Amino acid sequence: MELSERDIRILVFERSWWRHAGAKEQAIRKTFGLSSARYYQLLGALIDSPAALAHDPMLIKRLQRVREARLAARSARLLSRDD
């Protein structure tokens, strides 16, 4: 699988989105013309993509760690509610 131009632009954006003025959601809309929900769907697929990992391994590994931490936190919250 090869990365599309949009895929590469998303990876570049993720590496440097904090440089954009304003909220990330506004920068997503302005840069890609996408809703934030659609953007995160595309990013989620990229995080699991071997092509994206080969293209930018440090970024993809960092995004995987962030995603895993969020899932663990969500699971912990759900478990604490059951007590």
Side-chain angles (χ1 to χ4, degrees), residues 4-16:
S4 69
E5 181 181 325
R6 181 179 65 183
D7 293 339
I8 293 169
R9 288 177 51 226
I10 288 173
L11 295 176
V12 168
F13 180 83
E14 276 301 308
R15 184 171 278 287
S16 63

Side-chain angles (χ1 to χ4, degrees), residues 7 19 27-28 39 44 46 50-51 55-57 66 68 70 72 76-77:
D7 293 339
R19 294 180 190 161
I28 289 167
Y39 173 84
L46 282 171
H55 178 78
D56 195 338
V66 168
E68 289 167 9
R70 285 185 181 143
R77 283 193 309 270

Side-chain angles (χ1 to χ4, degrees), residues 40-68:
Y40 286 114
Q41 288 174 339
L42 296 169
L43 180 60
L46 282 171
I47 290 172
D48 295 327
S49 165
L53 181 62
H55 178 78
D56 195 338
M58 288 180 60
L59 174 64
I60 296 301
K61 290 290 187 182
R62 179 174 59 84
L63 293 172
Q64 288 171 342
R65 285 191 305 273
V66 168
R67 180 174 64 181
E68 289 167 9

Side-chain angles (χ1 to χ4, degrees), residues 29-41:
R29 171 88 51 201
K30 181 179 178 185
T31 304
F32 299 102
L34 298 170
S35 69
S36 57
R38 180 65 182 138
Y39 173 84
Y40 286 114
Q41 288 174 339

